[in-house]
Amino acid sequence: MLHHHLLSSSASAFPPAAQSLLLLPRPAASLRALLAMSYAASTSTSSSISSPFRPPRAVLAAAVPSLGAEETAAAAEEAFRRHTSPGLRRGGGAGGVSVVWFRSDLRVLDNEALARAWAASGAVLPVYCVDPRVLAGATHRFGFPKTGALRAQFLIECLGDLKQNLQKRGLDLLIRHGKPEDILPAIAKAVSAHTVYAHKETCSEELLVERLVRRGLEKVIIPQGGASNKSLSPKLQLIWGATMYHIDDLPFPVSNLPDVYTQFRKAVESKSSVRSCGKLPPSLGPAPSSGLDEIGGWGSIPTLESLGLSVTKSEKGMRFVGGESAALGRVHEYFWKNDQLKVYKETRNGMLGPDYSTKFSPWLASGSLSPRYVCEEVRRYEKQRVANDSTYWVLFELIWRDYFRFLSEKYGNSIFHLGGPRKVASKWSQDQALFESWKDGRTGYPLIDANMKELLATGFMSNRGRQIVCSFLVRDMGIDWRMGAEWFETCLLDYDPASNYGNWTYGAGVGNDPREDRYFSIPKQAKTYDPDGEYVAYWLPELRSLAKERRNFPGASYIKQVVPLKFGGGHQRKDQQFNRQTRPKNIYRRQK
């Protein structure tokens, strides 16, 4: 997950619907109650200090992107216009019906599964399955909610926008609640589909669903008519489409993927090319003319109520708007309108407000934004404005994201195992009280607590913050890194398994990293990245009344520290002192 920086704007400029929303579990849901308790902990006062502090208007509930509805729509339509080719025609033998199974690719622009279905068929039926195992299930080992309420809301918005964008281009989105292996064969039979197109995933749970769908389709018999009176089963056609560099364009098979990122990066930069975004026809229609009534029509987008979730407004942090239109609007805002790309490398380690990074990661994770589109826009910016270290660094981060996806293909389930891909033998604690103090932001270390409260309130945390809280959990607390990884799985808007678990194996020293025991000194990180304590005072307002130099070091004015630091405040040998500009390896690399 790449970290990206945004622009601040006054909260008063946003309509009420754009105010930040904190999505909390409904009391009746047993797993979801965990999030409610966490939110209560995150909003409680941690010390006896009281302060009338109210954050500056510029950082109150900032919508991302901050564009108005009309400007967002205009930016999206301009992107579609540049990628539409009026001369595109279906293949000569195109006919019948294809189904497009949308998964983590909730976009129209540069969606190869959608483009191939259109080219190979006379009619296209887009489908999304609201899988209860994903939206109402639990994480694998520790039983946290598999999808937190904030990500569920973001997904709902992504589906709504996808439906509108398909409708503008002659299609619609059929939505069904249930397991894809049950839904897709029934739909394929009802509309006599010859193929189900989908983007390929790499991790075990997703791969299992692919196998089950394929097995279900093999049992469906579609009469072909004609003199031969043949019958065929629909095919499942899986397409690679989640990375900037295509898997077929790597200079080596995935089985030979280098175990060091720098080797991978240098190889693809010198020997591979990024494919251009695919072009769209003016219309993707028509949809099938028959069979929809048999399966109950187009269905409806889920609501938070139907998922057992509720909404509470929050005035703090950022409120990410889901959907492809918002994603394209954000690229326009960050690159072109506010011209922030040219300073990305200098600002990317910030933590407070929407200015310090592109914030593309939630849309990349949901597939609402194509990494190849981001690459194209960087190249266009370099031609029209400036090419410098900052413009390159966005691509550098996207290559990290690719690397984690390819690693998950190479190593499979080992990225979820305690010893990681290298099978490192270590002793870890699963102390529940310590873990909950970390999860709830009650460790007694303001920099840790502020970051964890931001995660709970917004579903987002800066790249720098993720590195720090990961190091604290595994190095200072000695807690099983998988507990942290599963909690991030619950909370993050930009969660995807390859990046999340790839990053955590790095942070825990069990990933493919030659430096196993990296340590982030909290005092040093605080002094470097929050020298005036503005970040911690924002999320821990009880610290606002303290002198700036004391906010990160409040002593008895704040809650008691739950554990001593592994190396105290003065040990710098293990600290992350290397310069990312010259030694570009992070303990925790977010998905952009």
Side-chain angles (χ1 to χ4, degrees):
M1 312 178 238
L2 201 68
H3 55 96
H4 285 276
H5 319 296
L6 260 225
L7 321 177
S8 64
S9 54
S10 170
S12 61
F14 306 137
Q19 296 297 315
S20 181
L21 299 178
L22 177 63
L23 308 175
L24 299 177
R26 294 174 60 81
S30 58
L31 282 173
R32 309 291 176 179
L34 178 62
L35 289 179
M37 291 185 290
S38 298
Y39 173 70
S42 75
T43 54
S44 63
T45 301
S46 301
S47 77
S48 58
I49 298 173
S50 61
S51 169
F53 165 65
R54 186 169 179 81
R57 297 291 293 177
V59 290
L60 272 179
V64 185
S66 66
L67 307 177
E70 290 185 4
E71 194 173 3
T72 297
E77 285 306 309
E78 172 60 20
F80 277 110
R81 184 194 64 76
R82 291 198 313 273
H83 291 84
T84 297
S85 176
L88 276 183
R89 297 289 183 270
R90 284 183 158 96
V97 176
S98 285
V99 170
V100 179
W101 172 25
F102 280 93
R103 308 173 77 189
S104 295
D105 57 339
L106 304 181
R107 65 181 184 270
V108 173
L109 197 156
D110 196 36
N111 187 317
E112 191 170 347
L114 178 62
R116 284 207 200 177
W118 174 82
S121 311
V124 177
L125 180 60
V127 177
Y128 184 83
C129 303
V130 182
D131 192 333
R133 293 167 298 195
V134 175
L135 284 163
T139 59
H140 176 70
R141 184 169 298 273
F142 299 102
F144 305 139
K146 195 165 185 63
T147 300
L150 286 162
R151 190 163 75 249
Q153 172 65 17
F154 188 82
L155 171 64
I156 288 169
E157 293 171 6
C158 288
L159 293 176
D161 186 72
L162 175 61
K163 188 177 182 72
Q164 290 181 3
N165 284 337
L166 288 169
Q167 288 172 340
K168 290 176 183 177
R169 288 155 186 85
L171 292 176
D172 204 330
L173 181 64
L174 189 151
I175 297 175
R176 284 291 177 272
H177 297 247
K179 298 176 181 179
E181 61 265 32
D182 297 331
I183 293 168
L184 291 168
I187 289 175
K189 182 177 182 179
V191 299
S192 299
H194 57 73
T195 310
V196 174
Y197 289 88
H199 277 115
K200 181 182 181 346
E201 293 291 342
T202 61
C203 292
S204 55
E205 293 177 353
E206 292 78 11
L207 293 177
L208 173 60
V209 175
E210 290 175 8
R211 290 195 296 272
L212 293 174
V213 168
R214 191 183 301 276
R215 194 176 304 162
L217 291 173
E218 289 171 353
K219 298 176 182 178
V220 175
I221 303 300
I222 306 294
Q224 300 301 297
S228 64
N229 200 27
K230 287 184 178 180
S231 295
L232 298 175
S233 297
K235 299 178 298 180
L236 176 61
Q237 184 71 46
L238 294 173
I239 297 163
W240 188 271
T243 52
M244 183 169 70
Y245 285 98
H246 196 282
I247 193 170
D248 292 342
D249 299 335
L250 297 181
F252 32 67
V254 168
S255 59
N256 293 338
L257 189 80
D259 286 338
V260 177
Y261 167 73
T262 301
Q263 296 173 6
F264 167 78
R265 175 180 60 82
K266 289 181 177 179
V268 296
E269 286 181 333
S270 62
K271 299 177 181 179
S272 303
S273 299
V274 177
R275 298 182 182 185
S276 299
C277 290
K279 294 293 186 181
L280 286 165
S283 173
L284 291 163
S289 58
S290 62
L292 290 176
D293 291 340
E294 180 183 334
I295 54 176
W298 289 101
S300 60
I301 296 170
T303 64
L304 288 171
E305 184 74 18
S306 70
L307 298 174
L309 303 170
S310 60
V311 177
T312 300
K313 288 184 179 180
S314 172
E315 290 188 334
K316 286 193 172 185
M318 294 170 287
R319 188 281 199 239
F320 287 80
V321 181
E324 180 177 18
S325 298
L328 297 173
R330 177 57 189 161
V331 175
H332 167 76
E333 177 183 55
Y334 185 81
F335 284 9
W336 302 102
K337 180 179 180 180
N338 295 314
D339 205 20
Q340 295 278 34
L341 176 55
K342 64 186 179 185
V343 295
Y344 167 77
K345 192 176 181 183
E346 286 69 49
T347 63
R348 74 194 189 284
N349 278 314
M351 291 189 289
L352 185 61
D355 292 6
Y356 61 83
S357 70
T358 70
K359 304 296 187 299
F360 293 163
S361 61
W363 296 293
L364 286 166
S366 65
S368 304
L369 180 63
S370 162
R372 296 193 298 209
Y373 177 79
V374 177
C375 180
E376 282 192 2
E377 288 296 276
V378 169
R379 298 304 189 201
R380 190 163 73 96
Y381 182 96
E382 290 177 331
K383 289 180 180 179
Q384 297 184 16
R385 296 196 177 176
V386 64
N388 60 17
D389 286 349
S390 288
T391 59
Y392 166 71
W393 218 255
V394 170
L395 303 181
F396 174 93
E397 301 281 14
L398 281 171
I399 298 172
W400 260 110
R401 181 178 178 273
D402 281 9
Y403 184 56
F404 281 130
R405 180 62 66 112
F406 295 132
L407 278 177
S408 70
E409 177 82 358
K410 176 180 179 179
Y411 284 109
N413 274 352
S414 67
I415 66 172
F416 305 111
H417 295 167
L418 186 62
R422 292 191 297 114
K423 300 179 174 61
V424 177
S426 300
K427 291 184 178 179
W428 300 93
S429 167
Q430 293 183 4
D431 186 295
Q432 193 66 26
L434 276 183
F435 175 74
E436 290 191 2
S437 69
W438 177 84
K439 173 176 67 69
D440 298 338
R442 295 182 287 103
T443 67
Y445 293 94
L447 192 59
I448 300 299
D449 296 347
N451 273 285
M452 297 307 295
K453 290 179 187 294
E454 179 182 19
L455 176 64
L456 282 169
T458 69
F460 191 84
M461 189 189 296
S462 69
N463 178 61
R464 177 59 48 178
R466 297 187 198 203
Q467 297 176 75
I468 295 168
V469 303
C470 174
S471 175
F472 181 79
L473 183 75
V474 302
R475 304 295 179 209
D476 294 307
M477 286 184 152
I479 296 292
D480 187 335
W481 65 269
R482 297 170 303 175
M483 298 178 79
E486 288 195 13
W487 184 240
F488 272 34
E489 179 177 349
T490 294
C491 296
L492 285 172
L493 294 178
D494 55 28
Y495 170 75
D496 84 64
S499 291
N500 186 59
Y501 285 89
N503 280 318
W504 274 94
T505 57
Y506 265 62
V510 300
N512 300 310
D513 190 342
R515 288 173 294 170
E516 300 175 18
D517 193 28
R518 293 178 179 167
Y519 181 76
F520 280 70
S521 162
I522 292 175
K524 185 180 190 309
Q525 296 292 313
K527 290 175 182 177
T528 303
Y529 298 105
D530 191 28
D532 294 330
E534 286 297 321
Y535 176 74
V536 297
Y538 179 75
W539 289 104
L540 305 168
E542 62 269 31
L543 300 178
R544 172 62 59 172
S545 63
L546 297 180
K548 291 181 178 180
E549 64 272 13
R550 287 193 58 214
R551 290 171 180 169
N552 271 291
F553 310 97
S557 298
Y558 189 55
I559 58 175
K560 184 179 178 181
Q561 296 170 350
V562 294
V563 293
L565 295 178
K566 183 177 180 180
F567 295 118
H571 185 97
Q572 300 300 332
R573 181 179 63 82
K574 290 280 188 181
D575 191 66
Q576 196 77 355
Q577 291 189 38
F578 67 94
N579 187 335
R580 277 178 55 188
Q581 299 179 15
T582 56
R583 294 182 63 96
K585 296 177 185 175
N586 264 357
I587 187 172
Y588 192 93
R589 274 280 170 199
R590 291 193 37 254
Q591 291 172 327
K592 205 171 181 223

